[in-house]
Structures are given as C-alpha cells and as structure tokens.
Amino acid sequence: MKNNSLAVVILAAGSSSRMGGTGKKEFHSLGKGSVLSSSIKAFLNAACQMQVTSLQTVICCAPGLEEQTKSILFSDPELSDKKQSLKIDFITGGKSRQESVYLALNHLKNKIPFDSIVHIHDGARPYLTQELIVRITETAKEYGAAVPGLVPVDTQKVVDENGQIECHLKREKLIAVQTPQAFEFEAILKCHDLAKDSGNVFTDDSEIWDAYPEITGSRKIRVVQGEAENIKITFPKDIPGSKEMLQKKGENMIRIGFGTDLHVLKEGRKFVVGGVEIPFEKGEDGHSDGDVLLHAISDALLGASGLGDIGSYFPPEDPQWKDADSKVLLKKIWNDVRARGWSLVNLDSVLELEKPKFLPYRDQVIKSIADILEVKEEQVFVKAKTNEKQDAVGAGLAVKAYCTCLLEKTI
C-alpha cells in the first residue's frame, strides 16, 4: 500500500445504559483526561510512531451531545494544546452500531484516499496501547483486514434454549475479538453499502467484511494478538478509581474546590447575585452580567473537578459572552462536571458587600442556585458579611464572593 494516511472511527453514540445511570461511560474521568480522550491519544501516539502522513478521526456522538463530547475530549490537557492541529470531526451517530459506522465511513469519503487504512474502535476501550495499533495497522496493510483477538480463558460451550450443552467447542480454535478492527477503506465502505441495502444486522465489522467476498476478493481477516487490558468499559466497576474499587481500598472519592471573584459596582448596571436581580442603585461591572456569586461557584466547581477555571471556559475577550447570563454559564460548567462523574455534596458561600441588605433575598438566591445545579436547597448555603467600611467593598465600590464546594465521584 503506497498511501501512508490513517483514519479512525471512534464509536461513542451508545446510551451507556449498563452504567447504572452514572452518565456516558466515554465521558468519565481517566488519568488526566477521560475515557474518550485516552482512546484517541493511543492512536495519536501510534501515528507518530508509524510516521503517518495524515490522521483523520471521526467521533460518532450520541444525538444532542456533539458539543459536550467535544468539550469533554478537549478538557484533556494533552489534547487541548493540539486542538487546532488535530483533524477530528464530530458527527451524530445512528440508532445502531452498524449505522454509526456506516455514517462515519461515508463522512470520510471526501477526506481520505480510498487506499487508506481505517480503524473502527469502541470509544469505551481506553486501555489499548500504541503497540497494538501498530500491529493491527501493519497487518491490515498486508492482508486487507485485521482484528485483535484473545483465546478465551474458560472452556466454551454451545447451549440450547433449555440451557443444556449442545456442542463442546475447542477453546484453542476460538478467539474473543476486540477493537480496533482495521480495514482497507474502500473495501469496507463498499461492504457497508451492501450491508445497508440488504437490511441485515451484523455483530461487528469483521462479519460485514466476510459477508461480501465479491468486494474483498475472498481475503480472510487476519487475527493479531490482542491485549487482556484492552477491555471494553461496560459497568462502573470497569473504570480504575471507580467507587467500587476505591471502597474496597478504603479510599474516599471526594474533592474540595475554592473560588472567589470581585466586581466593581457601577451605576446603570443591574445588581445580580446568584441569578437573582436585587434592587439597588448600582450593579456589577463585568463582561458578562457580573454575577459575582455564580462566578465564584463556577470556579470552585471547576477547581474541584480539575476542569480549569471560568476565564478559560468563557474568555472575557470573546464577544459572545458580552452581558451573558451567568446562570447559563454555570449550567454549562455544571453539565461538564457531572459528565465527568462528579456530584455535589454541598457548597458554602460568603458574599461581601456593604449595601444593600442581603438577608431578605437569601432564600431566593439559595433556591436559584439549587435549581441551576439541580440539587436540594439544603446542599447550598450563602451568607453575607459587611467589611466594616474597610477597603473597596466597605466603601461600597465593589462586591466580592467566596465559595467552597465538596464534590464526590459517582461512577
């Protein structure tokens, strides 16, 4: 094969129903990033090792989660610095694995040469190594198609509908197939076209390859040695650092976050605290609506989850955030924090201001914050202090807020 470009299809459009309601498995934290980013970094490293001239990646996302998938992926510091140079497209996946692959392959038609090798990989398999990718790629270049496989540890049987053994299988002739599965792009694309037209449902792409010898030239798929660590995350316990694992070790899965913010008070601006507009002659001067309390809460949550800070999320020089509603900003941050497997135990905030009196609005502010975070009101508390007429706050020139929060892993 003359061409040295590589394509990768990452499947992350599933419902993660077996994760017990803890969110998308590809979004869970792993190492410095997420399950999803770990999968992609292995391909980047392998491409570098093989001196690939071009690496094109397509990520199949669950409907409506394209932007969240992108945010989760690039929250990994090892990928965020390369964001502009990486060729990664995010598309909406189909109703089935087979349909998602078909959509991704068609998306690649005008992006890569037809004699490229394309890998099809489960986004929930983050433990693969670059050595495995190299082995599969080189084998697929030589034979047209390659998959990783492991000989089952346990003896395998075929049972009938009554649960009785029907056939004794030879374990040494069996393999458990993993991903990534690699194919010549043009051939696997044509096979998927025929599979779609036939209406048949296949378990994986290797089965689709074998179903159409008129396309593949009857070339058999080569099996390369898989990796025992290359498991597919299916249940919460499959993630290192999961609650189940940490409970066995007697470790706590908690993080403390701290945030603070200050805004100058200015006439002609609305005074907004915790998403509630409080009548006053002055308001916070800021690029957004200046809600000092929600900004402090945002930074506390981002700090505890390790996702960054509010300035990097919503740069003040970006005109799209001019006069933005801080409730919307906090909601986006909180969605990303929760997607990484964190839940709120509680948060405690202090508001420093000389005027107006905060106490009449405290319950309303607490409810507003609890509604944004979708938690109980008893998990949120806000208290106010004056600065005894000292410094800018005490002089009525500014307002300041502090927040501490406690997050707990829920994966």
Side-chain angles (χ1 to χ4, degrees), residues 4 22 56 68 75 87 102 155 201 208 210 236 265 310 324 411:
N4 193 32
T22 61
Q56 177 71 53
Q68 191 173 357
S75 66
K87 296 179 180 178
Y102 178 77
T155 299
V201 177
I208 292 177
D210 275 344
L265 292 173
I310 193 170
I411 60 174

Side-chain angles (χ1 to χ4, degrees), residues 8 13 32 39 100 128 184 225 245 257 294-295 321 325 334 358 362 367 404:
V8 181
K32 294 181 179 179
S39 301
S100 291
L128 78 165
E184 288 181 3
Q225 180 63 35
M245 286 187 177
L294 293 191
H295 294 176
W321 309 123
D325 187 337
W334 183 233
F358 176 69
R362 181 166 69 184
K367 183 180 185 307
T404 59

